Amino acid sequence: MGIIGWIIVGLVVGALAKAIMPGKDPGGIIVTCIIGVVGGLLGGWISSALFGVDTGSFFDLRTWLIALVGSLVLLGIYRLVVGRRSRTHA
């Protein structure tokens, strides 16, 4: 799947990750969508490079699950890092 496909999947999956992990995001919906795109790309790269899992086509469920897991992990890390930083300065 091409980079444009991963960006589209990442935008949708970023919104899904926000729905799965509700709560206050330090950056809002734009940052969540960017995290979704980066998480989708990261999930696709890690799955193919480290685990040898082919991501499949745009409409393949495996592609969407890999992107969702990547987005959830990245959103969790983002919340930990930015949330901790904002609590220490308050």
Side-chain angles (χ1 to χ4, degrees):
M1 191 167 78
I3 190 82
I4 301 297
W6 275 110
I7 291 172
I8 293 169
V9 168
L11 287 172
V12 173
V13 169
L16 285 173
K18 170 74 173 148
I20 291 171
M21 292 178 65
K24 292 197 122 198
D25 280 332
I29 191 68
I30 301 295
V31 173
T32 303
C33 287
I34 292 171
I35 287 173
V37 171
V38 174
L41 291 170
L42 186 67
W45 178 77
I46 288 174
S47 69
S48 62
L50 296 180
F51 301 117
V53 175
D54 184 27
T55 55
S57 66
F58 183 80
F59 295 105
D60 192 359
L61 181 62
R62 177 179 45 210
T63 300
W64 290 84
L65 289 176
I66 289 170
L68 181 61
V69 168
S71 295
L72 286 171
V73 168
L74 203 57
L75 182 60
I77 291 170
Y78 176 74
R79 283 184 180 180
L80 286 174
V81 169
V82 174
R84 183 177 303 147
R85 185 173 26 171
S86 65
R87 277 188 241 134
T88 59
H89 289 109

